[in-house]
Structure formats: C-alpha cells, structure tokens
C-alpha cells in the first residue's frame, strides 16, 4: 500500500489490487452458483454417503466406518488403487516422451502459423470420432492376428505373435497414451510458440549447442505447458474405466472400474468410498504438479 500526494490535496491511497465492486461480484455469481451446485455439493454428498451402512441388499443412512475399513483392508480395492497410480505414472511419462518432440517440432521449428494450425488440427482429428470407437480400434491392431503382429512377423522381427499386446496392462497403456497424448502436445506447443526466436538466435551466436539451448532456455520456458498437459492427462487417466475394460478384457481393474462395478451392484457406500479416495488422489496430484511452476506468473 502506498500514499501518493497530488498537488495541495490530501494524499490519495492507492492499492496494488482493486476491490471488487458490486457489478463485478454479480458477474461472478453464476459461476460460483454453478460450482457449488455441481461440484461442491456432489463431493460433500459423496463423502456423506461413504459413511452410510451398506448391507448385502440395501443401504441405510446410519453413519459407520465399516465401508472405509473394508476398502483399506481389501486386497482388491488396494490393488486397484496401486494399479491406478502405476498406470497413471506410466501414461504420464509416455505422453510426455511422445508428445514433447511433436510439440517441439510444431511450436519451435514450424514458424508459419497456418502450418502450425494445420498440424495441431491433424493431432485432434481422432477426436472427431467416438471415444469408444477409438478405443476398440486398437483391438484389430494389437491382437494375435492384428496388424502389428503381422508386420513384425512379415519383416522377421518375431516368429510367433506377441500375445501380451492385447488384453493386458500393456494394451491399456498403449491405448491411453494414444488417446491422451494430444492433451500434452497442445499446451506444450502453445508455450514453445511464445519463445522469442531472437533469444535462441542469441544463444547460437554465443556458441551454445542445441543441447545446452534446450536445457537452459527451451525446457524451462516450456515447463508451464508440461504442467498443464500433465494436469489434463492425470485427471483423465485417474478417472479412466472404459479403456481398461475394453483393452484388458477386464483383467486390469482401476478405481474407476471399481466404482462402476459397485454402482451397478447398488453398493453406493463402497462406490462413494472409492470416489472419495479417487478425488483425494486427483487433488494431491494436481497440487503436486502446480508446485512445479507458478502458472499465474507464467501464463
């Protein structure tokens, strides 16, 4: 807070932040109401239901910790939690490894805005089709008699079909990486496109190699895009259930699959417990990613 004197008048108090006026608060009202009704209240209701008493055939609004104890003492639920975390970490790393080079090419090496737009549109073309179609399309690609096995045997890389490509954890990782990679490419390409070419040219004039330029200039400036892409990918992968069910033959159980199964069995309390655990996990992941860079300053 500072005091500014104007002429002979009394000092005028100025602040770095303007107070929200009445009209500004009214503009916030629809968004706040929407978030309260469709985010805060459902989460609170889910937490409340997780403490209800669940029996074989019914559920009663009598508060108990039985469902929570069952969740954390069950190898099935804890195994699904660990599988969810493991697959999330693998998919997050794989989307960065696959998406970053593509974003680097689009955002840094392609300077024509029209070509950049065309390339980014090509990346999202698969999203013009149904999500289920994109998932199931991997079955004829990864099967024993699928395209990948036929090509590998044709060029002599393998003699027998690779059975692990389908109905396994590997097939789930491959499908998720392809489906969600575009959410990593977009934010990174956006941040790379904001880098001033003169900065890179100055580093080259000073004799810096591409490796050093990448480590000291490109990677730090693109980290906000990596974090944003990581948040997008993390939230969607942690809540997944359709891809694992379709590509693993229900051999891979994620927390999302547990929730769907429990809801289908009318076991609302168990489903609510899994939902609360998944929500806490997502919140922790997003909070950890946001600590890497200050998005408010970078974006």
């Amino acid at each position: 807070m500072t005091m500014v004197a104007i002429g002979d008048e009394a000092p005028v108090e100025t602040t770095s932040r303007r107070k929200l006026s009445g009209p500004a608060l009214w503009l916030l009202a629809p968004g706040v109401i929407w978030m309260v009704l469709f985010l805060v209240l459902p989460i609170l209701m889910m937490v409340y239901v997780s403490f209800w008493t669940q029996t074989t055939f019914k559920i009663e609004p009598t508060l108990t910790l039985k469902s929570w104890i069952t969740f954390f003492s069950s190898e099935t639920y804890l195994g699904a939690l660990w599988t969810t975390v493991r697959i999330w970490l693998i998919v997050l790393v794989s989307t960065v490894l696959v998406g970053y080079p593509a974003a680097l090419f689009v955002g840094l090496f392609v300077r024509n805005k029209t070509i950049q737009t065309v390339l980014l549109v090509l990346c999202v073309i698969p999203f013009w089709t149904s999500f289920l179609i994109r998932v199931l399309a991997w079955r004829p690609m990864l099967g024993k008699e699928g395209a990948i096995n036929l090509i590998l045997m044709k060029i002599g890389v393998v003699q027998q079909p690779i059975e692990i490509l389908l109905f396994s954890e590997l097939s789930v990782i491959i499908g998720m990486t392809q489906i969600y990679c575009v959410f990593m490419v977009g934010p990174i390409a956006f941040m790379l496109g904001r880098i001033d070419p003169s900065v890179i040219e100055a580093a080259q004039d000073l004799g810096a190699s591409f490796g050093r330029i990448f480590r000291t200039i490109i990677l730090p400036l693109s980290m906000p895009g990596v974090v944003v892409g990581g948040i997008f990918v993390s939230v969607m992968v942690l809540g997944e259930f359709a891809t694992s069910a379709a590509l693993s033959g229900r051999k891979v159980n994620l927390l999302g699959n547990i929730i769907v199964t429990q809801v289908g069995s009318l076991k609302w309390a168990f489903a609510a417990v899994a939902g609360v655990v998944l929500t806490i996990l997502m919140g922790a992941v997003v909070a950890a990613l946001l600590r890497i860079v200050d998005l408010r300053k970078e974006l």
Side-chain angles (χ1 to χ4, degrees), residues 1-281:
M1 184 178 296
T2 59
M3 305 297 292
V4 181
I6 303 177
D8 296 330
E9 298 178 0
V12 179
E13 185 176 307
T14 62
T15 60
S16 58
R17 294 182 180 179
R18 296 181 179 179
K19 294 183 179 180
L20 292 176
S21 60
L25 292 175
W26 280 109
L27 291 174
L28 289 175
V32 172
I33 293 173
W34 180 273
M35 295 295 288
V36 170
L37 291 179
F38 298 104
L39 179 63
V40 177
L41 289 181
I43 291 177
L44 293 177
M45 187 62 189
M46 182 172 61
V47 174
Y48 177 54
V49 173
S50 69
F51 292 100
W52 285 10
T53 301
Q54 178 76 60
T55 61
T56 304
F57 301 104
K58 65 178 180 179
I59 184 172
E60 299 176 350
T62 304
L63 301 185
T64 179
L65 292 173
K66 185 177 179 179
S67 296
W68 285 90
I69 296 173
T70 301
F71 181 91
F72 287 104
S73 62
S74 171
E75 293 184 2
T76 301
Y77 295 152
L78 293 180
L81 176 60
W82 166 241
T83 302
T84 301
V85 174
R86 184 177 65 252
I87 290 182
W88 159 67
L89 287 172
I90 296 174
V91 173
L92 182 62
V93 173
S94 63
T95 51
V96 172
L97 294 178
V98 174
Y100 198 99
L104 186 64
F105 175 77
V106 174
L108 198 63
F109 293 98
V110 178
R111 285 301 173 183
N112 188 296
K113 297 299 182 182
T114 302
I115 298 179
Q116 281 185 346
T117 303
V118 171
L119 292 175
L120 290 175
V121 170
L122 290 176
C123 290
V124 301
I125 280 181
F127 286 83
W128 297 359
T129 61
S130 169
F131 174 85
L132 188 58
I133 293 176
R134 284 183 282 128
V135 172
L136 295 178
W138 277 105
R139 285 193 174 187
M141 293 287 293
L142 301 174
K144 290 179 63 177
E145 299 180 357
I148 294 178
N149 272 318
L150 290 177
I151 293 174
L152 292 177
M153 288 189 294
K154 189 73 174 178
I155 63 179
V157 176
V158 296
Q159 301 299 323
Q160 298 293 330
I162 304 175
E163 298 184 7
I164 197 176
L165 287 180
L166 187 60
F167 299 137
S168 64
E169 190 172 303
L170 177 61
S171 62
V172 176
I173 293 171
I174 293 174
M176 288 187 180
T177 300
Q178 183 269 326
I179 292 170
Y180 299 122
C181 185
V182 66
F183 293 99
M184 188 66 71
V185 173
I188 297 176
F190 172 75
M191 293 305 300
L192 290 172
R194 296 177 57 184
I195 298 177
D196 190 348
S198 61
V199 176
I200 298 178
E201 292 175 0
Q204 291 174 338
D205 292 340
L206 293 173
S209 63
F210 179 78
R212 184 166 185 180
I213 293 173
F214 178 79
R215 293 193 308 271
T216 59
I217 298 176
I218 297 175
L219 184 59
L221 293 178
S222 64
M223 281 306 297
V226 176
V227 170
V228 173
I231 292 174
F232 288 160
V233 172
S234 297
V235 170
M236 288 180 287
V237 170
L238 289 173
E240 259 280 12
F241 64 92
T243 303
S244 60
L247 295 181
S248 72
R250 300 189 182 278
K251 294 180 181 179
V252 176
N253 272 330
L254 306 179
L255 275 181
N257 300 109
I258 295 294
I259 295 173
V260 171
T261 301
Q262 296 299 331
V263 169
S265 302
L266 300 181
K267 296 182 178 179
W268 302 102
F270 293 144
V273 171
V276 172
V277 172
L278 186 58
T279 302
I280 294 173
L281 178 59

